[in-house]
Structures are given as structure tokens and as C-alpha cells.
Amino acid sequence: MPAVTPAERAAALRAEIHRLDHAYYVLDAPLVPDADYDARFRALQALEAAHPELRTPDSPTQRVGGAPLPQFAPVRHAVPMLSIQTETDTTPQGAVAFDLRVRNKLGLGADDPPVAYNAELKFDGLAINLRYVHGVLVQAATRGDGETGEDVTQNVRTIRSVPLQLRTAHPPAVLEVRGEALMQRADFARYNDRQRAKGLPTLVNPRNGAAGSIRQLDPAIAAQRPLAFYAYGWGEIQGWADQPTTHHAMLDALAAFGLPVAAQRVHGPGAQTLTGFHTQIAAARDSLPFDIDGVVYKVDSLALQAALGFRNREPVWAVAHKYPAQERSTRVLAIDIQVGRTGKLTPVAKLEPVFVGGVTVTNATLHNEDEVRRKDVRVGDRVVVRRAGDVIPEVVSVLLDQRPADVGEPFDLYKQLGGHCPVCGSAIVREQGEADWRCTGGLFCAAQRKQAILHYASRRALDIEGLGEKLVDQLVDGAVVRVLPDLYKLGLLKLAALDRMADKSAANLLDALEHSKATTLPRFVYALGIRNVGEATAKELARHFGSLDALMNASLEQLQAVPDIGPIVAQSIRTFFEQPHNREVVEQLRACGVHWDESAPVESATAKPLSGKTLVLTGTLPNLGREDAKERIEAAGGKVSGSVSKKTHYVVAGAEAGSKLAKAQELGVAVLDEAGLLALLADAAGDG
Ligand code: IVH
């Protein structure tokens, strides 16, 4: 038998992996154990590494291969991506109205036979056009304004259920597949859990998650937010010999090519096919693996579709039929204030239990003080509660006409708490330009304990190896460690008693703790986790004051004399050291033996990519909260200012950006959107 050439072997592996991917991601029916799959994948990777000329664009190894992009290139759609009309009647009768319109337009009378329809889901994600040339995926684009979208090929390649190659020996010369990229509920929940555990920003809902992932400039980051894709239509088609003649048969053909097509679809005669589907999906909606917006009805025959055509750039042959929003009214029993891991205080409405969107809701977030005041939510009010795809329900509005005479006072967070954190009693503050109140007892507050310990132990702080998230959870939940100094009181006995803790790792951890005691002043200052004090600021402070005592006792003026420290940072430092609990923790840490050499010179803060750069935030960013954006910019060494001037380097503009954006344009200051900011920061992080 002749020897197999590397090219043949690569082609065979590629075909095999495509087949396994399709079974796993599209059919949800794995054919081999994961380890076998991995072995094939690694074999292909090795082969391509040895023979780079064998690496094809449709190779499964190329799903996440591209470098971050500076921006997305525009793509002019060969066939415009249009939207569909929405049926306003949300009852099942809406389907009957559509059928009547179609029949009238076709000139059909009451005695004429029923029109055949196809009914499918209205996916709630981001519309994408996939272009296959001779069966190979060559381009993926967003809808954009319908005429021109953005080239998001790199990110769409990371969607494992999107075939890089059509599963047919005779693909059409050109086939554009249209569908929706979306984040499944389970992936959304998993992503947010992971973010929460790391103290990082979470996604508001799966839709934003999908949009953020697709429009992420770094495909490696996009790949961490897993998306799904469902085909529902097509764009340009060339050279498809036996092209089907009905919509449902087209979807069947796409499925046969290996494209994901949702199982929930029906086709049949007349309005009753549509009303039946509407009712069936209404009942199944909450158990679908993803959010939907409603259902879509389409005339099944492509010839009739062509006869009906378009009106106002919307097809006459299709309509979207939505469901009534998942909203209910209930009464506010109390407004509690919760303390998050970062000290953020969030008002939460305690509600009379109400069933909405498939679950019983007793709590709903009120986001922040301004939101409560804007909606004027008070204890005793009847409110509308909405549960979006997200798990956290929210209060939408107050039914003012039903406000009882004995309704509570207007909400005042500071007054309600008497100025103190409900968990630890430390002072609370709301910084200028911030929406959130925060607890200042960072080192002492039980709500912030885990975060404080993890930060203290992190690599750039006291670098305590082995003190990770799982262990901190155990130590705090088991009340073994309440405040930071307790770390230094851990003995072998206490540690070895913990779950899954081997003697060896316990001894290693004690070693690491002992080692961490000899540190430097900048590391220690950074390790305290003072708000707005990142690594660079900690270095500047250490250099300027030379000793911890001098820093702890510095006045606002003295703090502001440090380069790059403005009133807000100065105030955070003051407030932190004004809390007796925080001072106590610092003293105890020193008493435990944590020490540094105050005569040691402090090297200058390493120049960070955004050092010396001033950014202004305006409008609402799709994913990042203002707070998060600010923290990230500062972590990269940049400064966030409240007003635009000639000295501003970038203005980051979100939805409803107003005068600041106009000012930036007038002054010729560079304007970024959220994706642009993330790209800048990704460059800054150097590790994506
Ligand atoms: S058909 C020319 N079918 O809804 C008709 N659209 O307003 C093109 N969508 O942006 C659209 N599910 O992304 C169609 N089953 C479905 C859909 C669907 C979701 C989205 C689509 C478009 C918007 C239309």
C-alpha cells in the first residue's frame, strides 16, 4: 500500500474533525469520547505546524487563530439584509390578520384554498450573513444598516456550530446563509458566574453578550464567550442546480449542509398552522435553551414570496409575531440595600411574590440610587416587574395611580443606612460622577472579605502562592479567616482540617505566607485594595511619602501634591485610612510580622500603555458600566476626566452621547466606541 502523504493525512483529519464537530455542536450527539477528539485535533495541529503549507482557512485549527483587529472592515451586502414587520396584535389572532393580508394581496377569495406557511422562532441575537464560496466559509458579516455591515469573520469562526465547510460534495458556487448568532442561557449564566467569581463585570442579558462577543476585536476573547448560530434564511445564491422551491425545504437543505437550523419549526396550510405554532411556542418558551423575541411566519412557496414582494423595505410575505412582554405588577414590601464583593451598595426591592417569565420573583434590582429616584419607587408602591433573558428581574416602573396614601418616603440611601454600611458599619461614600454608593471598610467588611483576601494575595500585591479562590471560599465560609491578619495565624492543624487540603500543600501555603511577610511598601499599599489606588498609584504614594505612617496621616492637600493624584483619589485614600477598622487591620498585619524597608528606593511606576493619556467617558456603553470602564482605564495607567478639552486623548462614546461627543468632534479628539476602548485596553494588557 502506498504511504499516505502529509497532505492526505491532513485532509483526512480535517474531514474527520468536521464530522465530529457537526455531530457534537449541531446534532448534539457526540460520536467519540472527548479525549479521542482531542487526540485527532492535536495530530492535525502538529501536522500543520510541521507543514504550514497544509494549513487551509477552513481547517478546524483556524477557529481561533487571528490576531486582534484594529477595527472591523465594512462589507457591502450582495443582497440587502432587510427587517420584517411586526404584527401588533400579540394574541394568537395576530396570525389570522397576517393570513388575511396575504390572501388579499394574492387576490384569493374565501373559497380559494389555504396558503401554505412556514412558522419558525424569532431569535433574539445578532443577524449574521455567512458567505460560502464553493462550500468554504469565506466571510461573515453583521447586518449593519442593512446595506453595509461589518466583517466579523474571525469571531464567527469561533462559533463551533458554524461549519467552516459545507457538508456536501456539490456545494452551490455561492451560498449566503442568514441567521442569528446568540448566546444560550446556560452559557450566559456560566459566563456571568465566572465573571462574578473574579469580581469582573457581568453581561446584562444574553443578547448583549452575543453582540459584545461578535463585535469583540480580539477573537481569542470572543471565543471565551461561547455563541450559537441558527440559520433562518439566505442572501446571494449562485450555481445551485437543484435549489428547493419552498422556504421549509430550503431550511431542510441548509440543515443537510451542516448548518444549525432550529428544530422548532412547522409548515402547513392556513392561519391555523400559525396560531397552533404560536400557542405551542408560548408554552415552551421558558424551556428553550435560548431567549426568543416571538415567532416568525413566512409564506412557504418561494414563487409566492416573489409575487408578494416587498413594501417599505419589508417583505410582504413574512411577519414577526411577538409575545406580550413578561411583565407583572406586584407590591414593594421593602427596599433593602445589598453590599457586593467590591463594596458597591445596590438597592433591591423586596416584593410580594409574583410569577413572571416562568419563575416566582421576590427580589428585583433597583440598580442604584438615581434609578430609584428617577422611577420614584417607594415602599408600599405597586410596581411593574420585568424578567428579561437575564436571571435578575428588575423594577420597570411604578403604577403611580395606584399609590397608597400611606406610601413610604422618597428613597434616600444615605438616610436609610444612617451613613453606615449595613454589613460592617463603616462609612459609605458616593464619589463625584459615580452612580453607586460604596462601603469604605474594604479590609474589614464581611461582604468584601473574599475579594480583599484574594487581592492581598495576588501576584502584584503580597504574592501568596496557593491562596486561590477555592481556598479563600473555604477559609471565609468556615469562619477560619475573618480579617486579613487571621491569615498569619493559620497553623498546619487548621489548614489540614480543610477539605481537599493535603499536608504538603498546607505546608507550602504556610511557607508562602511566611515569605510574604517580607515585602515592599508599594506592594503593601497596593495590597490594601484602597479604591482608585492601583499599582502605579501605590508606587507613586510610596515614593512620595516614604513611609506608611506618613501616608496614613497625609491630609487631602498633601495627597494631591503627589503627581497624578487628583481630588477623587486623594479622597478615597483619606476615607480609607479614616476608618478605624482599616487602621486596625493595618496595625495587626504589622504586628504579625509584615514588614518592608522604608529606606529602599522605589522604582518609578513602569510606564503603562495608557500612562499620560486622558480619556473622557460619555453616554451608555453597551456592556461596560461606567465604573468598570473607568477602573480598567486606570488599571492601564490612564486617567478619566469629566470634561473634554484639547488635552483629551480619547473620548469613549456610547449610546445617547451628547455634548461631550460634539465637543470632541469639534476639537478633533479621537472618538472610540466600547469595542475600540476594549481593543486599546487589550493592547494595554499585552495578553489580550
Ligand atoms: S427573516 C427579509 N426570520 O429579526 C426577511 N428574521 O426584523 C429577513 N430574526 O434582523 C428576516 N429570527 O435578524 C427572519 N426566523 C427569523 C428570524 C429573524 C430573528 C431577526 C433578523 C432581523 C430581524 C427582522
Side-chain angles (χ1 to χ4, degrees), residues 82-84 120-123 127 143 180 232 296 298 315:
L82 302 179
S83 63
I84 31 182
E120 58 201 48
L121 302 177
K122 183 157 198 307
F123 306 97
R143 175 171 184 266
E180 203 96 340
Y232 56 66
V296 175
K298 294 172 183 171

Side-chain angles (χ1 to χ4, degrees), residues 301-364:
S301 152
L302 302 191
L304 283 186
Q305 284 188 7
L308 286 161
F310 294 80
R311 184 159 180 259
N312 296 332
R313 302 187 57 74
E314 286 171 344
V316 177
W317 46 266
V319 76
H321 197 186
K322 299 209 177 183
Y323 290 104
Q326 304 192 316
E327 291 183 347
R328 292 280 180 288
S329 78
T330 184
R331 195 168 298 284
V332 178
L333 303 175
I335 299 179
D336 280 4
I337 290 150
Q338 290 180 353
V339 190
R341 284 170 62 102
T342 59
K344 174 177 158 183
L345 303 172
T346 305
V348 174
K350 297 277 149 183
L351 305 168
E352 226 161 61
V354 58
F355 192 74
V356 44
V359 296
T360 302
V361 169
T362 52
N363 291 322

